[in-house]
Amino acid sequence: MQRAAQIAIYPTPMRQRPAWENTPMESVQSRIRSPEWKAAVIAFLIVALAVTTWIIPPHAVVLHNILHHLNILPFMLAGMIFGWKGALRAIVFAVALQSPIIYRHWYRAPVDAQDQVVELSTFGIAGMIAGLVADRERMQRARVEATKRELERVYSELRENIQQMKKTERLTAAGELAASLAHEIRNPLASISGAAGVVARGHAPAASQQECLEILMKESQRLNKLLTNFLDFARPRLPRFQPTDPAAVLQSVTTLAQHSGVERGVDVVLHTKTLHGEVECDAEQVKQVLLNLVLNAIQATTAPGTVNIRAAMDTQSLSVEVEDEGCGVEPENMDRLFDPFFTTKENGSGLGLAVSANIVAQHGGTLFCRMNEAHRRGMTFRVDLPLHPPSVSELAKAKDKAVLD
């Protein structure tokens, strides 16, 4: 007998940084981006200009003129990086360093000294203005960032609230489904219980016992159908798409439905046009939807009557209409036709149309109904299916939506 493998669990060690993290180059770049480093560069420029101006003789007017103009660099940099206060500090620092130079040149080269004073003042004012503009831009950027964070917070809260609302809706829908299912099961169970009691007492005549047995079988089948339809609605399987001939599916549905139509004195007529090509769909599921619609139309139509099936196909979709000649549905009930457990039939489960709507949604199509025109009786149900299946993500969303939407 092999010895079971043993797994030792040790405390997780502190994360060691890989060799490529925090390299010397990244460390240097981070220091360069720091405010202290930028201030040091500006101070170095001011000192370098002052020292160079002191070293160069007063009679080198051209060089002094160039150095005076270069004073704009540290002032503008200080204003753009540190705002008007930074520009003011740079001006004060430059004036403190260059005051001895101005004093020395005031008697030896008065024009150069005056030019230096004017340019220090002019470039200082320019640096202050640049600082004010930079401060304003930073304030606006801060407001934008604050607004962005607030919007992100509100959006996050809104998304959480929406998710909570969806969860609440699902729970509410699940509770309503459970209550409706319990109500629908109660009637068959009462019939089964009553018939079983009669049979159990054993005093009923043979005819009554046979009737009770038929009730037991009938109600058991009704319960099985009800639970099967409920499971199809609550846990719809994903369709298995394959190329399908729509004309063959419609002909099969018509043939199957005609047997029920003959029993009720209702004709089932198929009208097809431009059904050339194939549709990628789950043939069994589509047949289930169409057969359910046609059988509902037959049951709603009073004999003698006709159920018309019309189909058309274009380059993008397949459309199938099932038209009956029944009494229709009250306007206030139109919006409830596809709700689970809603039915206008005496023995209906109320899940057929809900299951059909889920199947059509998983195919990326639509199922809707309308009252026929005023001069015609009954209703028309229409199924629109795309020729090509939806993507995997859309299919998964359709499956999630089909559960309790």
Side-chain angles (χ1 to χ4, degrees):
M1 183 176 180
Q2 295 182 353
R3 183 181 179 183
Q6 297 181 351
I7 302 177
I9 302 177
Y10 300 98
T12 304
M14 294 183 62
R15 178 179 178 270
Q16 294 182 353
R17 296 176 178 173
W20 60 83
E21 290 190 8
N22 291 332
T23 59
M25 181 59 68
E26 292 182 353
S27 179
V28 171
Q29 291 177 352
S30 63
R31 286 199 299 269
I32 291 176
R33 297 191 187 99
S34 64
E36 293 79 6
W37 181 265
K38 295 175 182 178
V41 171
I42 294 172
F44 173 78
L45 289 176
I46 295 174
V47 172
L49 289 172
V51 171
T52 306
T53 304
W54 180 269
I55 294 175
I56 295 177
H59 58 79
V61 178
V62 177
L63 291 178
H64 277 280
N65 191 28
I66 294 174
L67 291 174
H68 298 338
H69 283 81
L70 288 178
N71 282 312
I72 194 172
L73 291 177
F75 296 163
M76 294 298 292
L77 286 175
M80 289 186 293
I81 296 175
F82 299 104
W84 71 270
K85 293 182 179 179
L88 180 60
R89 294 189 185 98
I91 295 169
V92 172
F93 183 53
V95 170
L97 291 179
Q98 297 196 28
S99 293
I101 303 173
I102 296 172
Y103 178 77
R104 186 185 69 172
H105 290 186
W106 194 264
Y107 299 102
R108 299 182 182 179
V111 175
D112 179 72
Q114 294 172 5
D115 183 62
Q116 189 174 3
V117 171
V118 170
E119 291 184 354
L120 281 175
S121 303
T122 304
F123 296 151
I125 293 173
M128 295 279 289
I129 295 174
L132 291 172
V133 174
D135 285 342
R136 183 178 179 182
E137 190 271 338
R138 274 190 287 269
M139 290 177 61
Q140 291 178 347
R141 186 184 304 173
R143 292 195 194 101
V144 171
E145 292 293 332
T147 305
K148 177 183 176 183
R149 288 193 296 270
E150 182 65 18
L151 290 176
E152 289 176 349
R153 184 187 64 80
V154 172
Y155 173 74
S156 178
E157 292 180 358
L158 180 61
R159 185 171 56 184
E160 292 176 359
N161 292 335
I162 291 175
Q163 293 296 330
Q164 187 65 30
M165 289 176 59
K166 288 182 178 179
K167 183 178 179 180
T168 303
E169 289 178 358
R170 292 190 183 99
L171 292 175
T172 303
E176 292 177 354
L177 285 177
S180 301
L181 181 61
H183 177 74
E184 293 295 328
I185 290 176
R186 183 177 298 168
N187 293 333
L189 284 180
S191 300
I192 291 173
S193 177
V198 172
V199 174
R201 286 191 292 269
H203 302 299
S208 297
Q209 291 185 4
Q210 182 63 30
E211 183 181 355
C212 289
L213 291 176
E214 291 178 357
I215 292 175
L216 289 173
M217 294 180 61
K218 180 180 177 181
E219 296 300 329
S220 298
Q221 292 174 358
R222 181 181 172 188
L223 277 177
N224 182 63
K225 181 180 178 181
L226 178 64
L227 293 175
T228 300
N229 289 337
F230 178 76
L231 290 177
D232 289 340
F233 171 76
R235 294 186 303 176
R237 71 169 178 85
L238 290 177
R240 292 184 281 269
F241 293 99
Q242 57 184 357
T244 303
D245 182 8
V249 173
L250 288 167
Q251 188 60 52
S252 175
V253 169
T254 303
T255 302
L256 291 173
Q258 281 175 343
H259 298 288
S260 178
V262 171
E263 296 178 357
R264 301 180 62 90
V266 177
D267 295 330
V268 180
V269 182
L270 175 63
H271 308 272
T272 59
K273 58 181 179 180
T274 63
L275 293 185
H276 303 297
E278 295 180 331
V279 180
E280 291 188 54
C281 65
D282 189 315
E284 292 300 321
Q285 287 188 341
V286 172
K287 186 183 296 184
Q288 175 186 348
V289 171
L290 296 178
L291 185 59
N292 181 54
L293 296 179
V294 176
L295 292 178
N296 286 347
I298 292 173
Q299 295 173 6
T301 302
T302 304
T306 304
V307 171
N308 294 297
I309 306 173
R310 297 185 177 88
M313 188 175 179
D314 56 24
T315 57
Q316 296 182 346
S317 64
L318 168 69
S319 299
V320 181
E321 291 186 348
V322 179
E323 179 189 74
D324 64 55
E325 295 180 352
C327 60
V329 178
E330 297 296 331
E332 61 269 16
N333 292 330
M334 288 289 291
D335 294 335
R336 301 179 58 195
L337 282 179
F338 299 102
D339 291 346
F341 298 110
F342 175 79
T343 180
T344 58
K345 296 186 291 185
E346 182 178 353
N347 296 321
S349 65
L351 287 172
L353 289 178
V355 172
S356 299
N358 284 347
I359 292 175
V360 174
Q362 288 184 317
H363 280 74
T366 56
L367 170 61
F368 58 93
C369 63
R370 68 175 186 272
M371 298 291 293
N372 291 337
E373 298 175 358
H375 63 279
R376 305 177 66 181
R377 298 180 301 165
M379 299 184 62
T380 297
F381 285 80
R382 175 167 174 166
V383 178
D384 290 332
L385 294 177
L387 299 186
H388 303 287
S391 62
V392 176
S393 60
E394 293 174 345
L395 202 59
K397 291 179 181 178
K399 180 181 178 182
D400 294 337
K401 183 180 179 181
V403 176
L404 288 175
D405 193 4

